């Protein structure tokens, strides 16, 4: 007689999803039992391997992992892509289930910003250095406010942020320090496509021709970093890089060399450590990237 058929591999368990602060408090109290540590991974959904790298790092740091999914209206200007921002809820849930995440915090806009909400975090100095802030003046105020709320709501021991959004990582780190928040902000290196393009939810907007041109950004960053390391004056290396980016069809917002911690402008390679940061538009899609020198 044939034995019972082989068991089907178990489908990963979908993590619980909570949408109200009251339920979040109960769920995190449960997760924190026996002093278990918690790592938070804040996201706007449309998850890709970059986000999943943050989750993997979170799992290494803490016993429990909470992922927030919230497309934060406060960080979009009226002219930006809030309405069209990619939303891939079912795929996001499946990816987080496969990584055995403990909890998904997905508040509604009304839960995050109820009627009468009017407070705002004035972001730290590193948010006012003429990089992203010069092109998206409302952005870091919106990010700092929502991240401060997420930190208060979840009260994590660790919070994971990608180096892909380098200025944002520095802003959140400084804010947590300035406000004496009891958590460690952890930066995670950028995950890239095979051709070097930094993964981003917004890459989905690129046409085939734009997608083919997009890896130019990282190529130029790498070349610039090499030239600076070899001793070429920073201004010259950047001038060549800017021209290459524009020749590839981008509208350049900035290509800059900055001090890697303060993001202050640098004049010479002795102002180490250096970071190169770039933002440019391809058609309607705005891409950013950065690398260490
Ligand atoms: P977002 O959903 O775009 O707001 O990103 C959520 C988090 O994922 C932020 O901390 C980002 O810096 C991080 N992230 C986005 N893309 C990447 C990437 N390619 N590699 C590493 N982290 C990333």
């Amino acid at each position: 007689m044939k034995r019972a058929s082989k068991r089907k591999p178990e489908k990963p368990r979908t993590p619980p999803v909570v949408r109200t602060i009251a339920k979040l408090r109960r769920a995190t109290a449960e997760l924190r039992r026996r002093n278990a540590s918690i790592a938070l991974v804040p996201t706007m959904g449309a998850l890709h391997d970059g986000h999943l790298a943050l989750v993997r790092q979170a799992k290494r740091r803490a016993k429990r992992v909470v992922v927030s999914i919230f497309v934060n209206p406060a960080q979009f200007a009226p002219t930006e892509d809030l309405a069209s921002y990619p939303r891939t809820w079912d795929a996001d849930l499946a990816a987080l289930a496969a990584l055995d995440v403990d909890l998904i915090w997905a508040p509604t806009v009304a839960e995050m910003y109820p009627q009468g909400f009017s407070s705002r975090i004035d972001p730290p100095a590193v948010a006012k250095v003429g990089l992203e802030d010069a092109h998206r003046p409302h952005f870091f105020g919106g990010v700092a406010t929502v991240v401060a709320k997420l930190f208060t709501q979840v009260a994590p021991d660790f919070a994971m942020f990608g180096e892909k959004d380098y200025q944002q990582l520095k802003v959140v780190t400084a804010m947590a320090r300035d406000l004496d928040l009891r958590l460690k902000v952890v930066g995670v290196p950028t995950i890239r496509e095979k051709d070097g393009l930094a993964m981003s939810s917004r890459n989905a907007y690129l046409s085939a021709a734009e997608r083919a041109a997009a890896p130019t950004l990282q190529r130029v960053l790498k070349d610039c970093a090499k030239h600076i390391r070899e001793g070429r004056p920073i201004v010259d290396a950047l001038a060549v890089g800017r021209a290459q980016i524009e020749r590839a069809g981008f509208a350049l917002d900035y290509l800059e060399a900055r001090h890697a911690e303060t993001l202050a402008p640098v004049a010479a390679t002795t102002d180490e450590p250096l970071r190169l940061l770039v933002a440019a538009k391809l058609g309607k899609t705005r891409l950013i990237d950065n690398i260490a020198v």
Side-chain angles (χ1 to χ4, degrees):
M1 198 174 76
K2 241 172 124 188
R3 305 266 320 257
S5 63
K6 270 195 218 146
R7 275 225 242 128
K8 271 208 242 149
E10 267 179 46
K11 213 170 140 206
R13 178 192 66 104
T14 303
V17 178
V18 291
R19 296 191 178 276
T20 65
I21 307 257
K23 285 189 179 145
L24 176 73
R25 290 211 175 115
R26 285 199 287 279
T28 51
E30 187 60 30
L31 290 183
R32 208 171 280 114
R33 279 212 323 214
R34 287 193 285 278
N35 271 334
S37 54
I38 295 182
L40 171 67
V41 181
T43 81
M44 299 206 300
L47 302 182
H48 49 65
D49 282 352
H51 298 110
L52 302 185
L54 266 57
V55 173
R56 289 192 185 96
Q57 288 298 325
K59 291 184 67 130
R60 298 171 114 185
R61 290 271 176 169
K63 183 120 177 93
R64 306 287 187 202
V65 174
V66 178
V67 174
S68 62
I69 298 183
F70 180 64
V71 182
N72 177 32
Q75 69 193 63
F76 288 78
T79 51
E80 291 181 345
D81 57 342
L82 174 63
S84 61
Y85 195 82
R87 286 164 170 86
T88 58
W89 179 255
D90 291 341
D92 292 354
L93 233 55
L96 296 176
L99 288 181
D100 201 22
V101 160
D102 294 284
L103 185 69
I104 298 175
W105 170 221
T108 59
V109 172
E111 188 73 7
M112 189 63 94
Y113 301 117
Q115 272 273 313
F117 177 90
S118 64
S119 301
R120 202 166 170 88
I121 299 279
D122 182 8
V126 71
K128 300 162 190 171
V129 294
L131 294 170
E132 284 302 282
D133 49 297
H135 298 272
R136 308 182 71 191
H138 51 279
F139 179 67
F140 287 122
V143 167
T145 301
V146 83
V147 169
K149 280 173 72 77
L150 290 168
F151 286 178
T152 311
Q153 292 159 352
V154 178
D157 303 278
F158 302 93
M160 321 304 290
F161 285 83
E163 286 185 353
K164 149 87 182 353
D165 300 276
Y166 193 78
Q167 191 180 7
Q168 171 175 280
L169 168 63
K170 297 297 165 193
V171 167
V172 170
T173 304
M175 179 187 76
R177 187 190 58 223
D178 288 351
L179 301 182
D180 305 311
L181 301 183
R182 260 197 61 240
L183 81 155
K184 182 173 172 51
V185 174
V186 180
V188 178
T190 302
I191 303 297
R192 299 178 179 281
E193 303 287 356
K194 280 203 186 72
D195 59 13
L197 175 64
M199 288 191 183
S200 164
S201 307
R202 290 190 169 98
N203 292 351
Y205 299 151
L206 297 170
S207 70
E210 290 165 350
R211 177 64 190 79
T216 303
L217 281 191
Q218 196 224 13
R219 260 199 311 275
V220 169
L221 285 175
K222 279 167 88 176
D223 287 350
C224 265
K226 180 166 169 282
H227 293 145
I228 292 171
R229 278 196 305 271
E230 286 169 356
R232 190 181 293 190
I234 292 176
V235 280
D236 296 354
L238 292 178
V240 171
R242 287 179 186 130
Q244 287 172 332
I245 289 170
E246 284 175 338
R247 246 197 332 272
F250 290 83
L252 183 64
D253 279 353
Y254 59 82
L255 170 63
E256 296 266 348
R258 295 296 180 98
H259 187 277
E261 292 308 318
T262 63
L263 299 186
V266 290
T269 41
T270 45
D271 291 336
E272 294 180 303
L274 296 183
R275 195 94 190 173
L276 297 178
L277 303 103
V278 66
K281 274 210 196 100
L282 253 186
K284 290 203 179 82
T285 309
R286 189 168 181 279
L287 301 176
I288 61 174
D289 202 349
N290 66 87
I291 60 168
V293 173

